[in-house]
Amino acid sequence: EAGGLAALVAELDDPSRAAIDLQNPARVQRAWEVWQATGRGIADWQADTPPPLIAPADCQRILITTDRDWLADRIATRFDAMLDQGALDEVRAMLPLWDPAAQWAKAIGAPDLVAHLQGHQTLPEARDRAVIASRQYAKAQRIWFRGRMRDWQMWQAGNAGLELAP
């Protein structure tokens, strides 16, 4: 749209502009959407978030973790199953509407499968890139958990012999 990111930033309230990374289009868009939907800035809306239903002192907070290598194998297996179950056909059906700037087009694997369908990479290359992107997302989640849940009790899932359906 005309003005792009700068136009969205200009519409935000001062506290929201001060609270978010103005260079991050996803954060700006989310703040703008909250403003449009609620008439309140995201900073105000977040400050009004009620406390947890159960106070941390009154519960046992648990974060279940898993072996990174097991998870990497699981991610690859799951993406292969998605391909076997028609993910490429689903992306092919959306190709006429493809807009890389659209939020739905940012789904992990979608840009890679589109690149394959457009002849920019082979299917094995698209698959590998999608699996890598999924692994990077899982790593970002682990980092987020470590930063936000460091005082939670960590439980390691027992993955030995664990068979999950794709």
Side-chain angles (χ1 to χ4, degrees), residues 23-107:
Q23 301 303 310
N24 183 328
R27 300 251 184 219
V28 171
Q29 180 178 344
R30 178 68 180 135
W32 182 85
E33 288 170 352
V34 168
W35 178 258
Q36 294 299 307
T38 68
R40 296 172 63 194
I42 197 165
D44 178 52
W45 184 69
Q46 288 172 336
D48 199 25
T49 301
L53 294 176
I54 302 173
D58 296 332
C59 66
Q60 184 174 9
R61 298 181 299 172
I62 300 168
L63 174 61
I64 300 174
T65 62
T66 190
D67 177 71
R68 185 183 63 187
D69 293 333
W70 178 86
L71 183 58
D73 290 343
R74 183 74 184 103
I75 287 169
T77 299
R78 178 66 184 125
F79 197 81
D80 290 340
M82 289 170 58
L83 287 173
D84 291 344
Q85 295 170 5
L88 190 59
D89 293 330
E90 185 177 336
V91 172
R92 185 179 286 114
M94 293 303 295
L95 203 52
L97 304 172
W98 182 252
D99 174 7
Q103 192 66 33
W104 58 266
K106 294 176 181 17

Side-chain angles (χ1 to χ4, degrees), residues 84-157:
D84 291 344
Q85 295 170 5
L88 190 59
D89 293 330
E90 185 177 336
V91 172
R92 185 179 286 114
M94 293 303 295
L95 203 52
L97 304 172
W98 182 252
D99 174 7
Q103 192 66 33
W104 58 266
K106 294 176 181 17
I108 294 175
D112 307 297
L113 295 179
V114 166
H116 164 67
L117 291 172
Q118 292 175 336
H120 302 298
Q121 57 190 12
T122 66
L123 184 56
E125 289 170 335
R127 179 253 184 218
D128 290 347
R129 287 176 174 258
V131 168
I132 289 168
S134 295
R135 289 174 61 184
Q136 290 169 336
Y137 185 73
K139 180 180 179 180
Q141 288 177 319
R142 285 192 305 273
I143 291 168
W144 190 90
F145 292 150
R146 277 196 306 266
R148 304 281 173 111
M149 300 174 170
R150 68 183 60 169
D151 58 338
W152 290 40
Q153 187 174 17
M154 302 278 184
W155 285 6
Q156 178 72 28

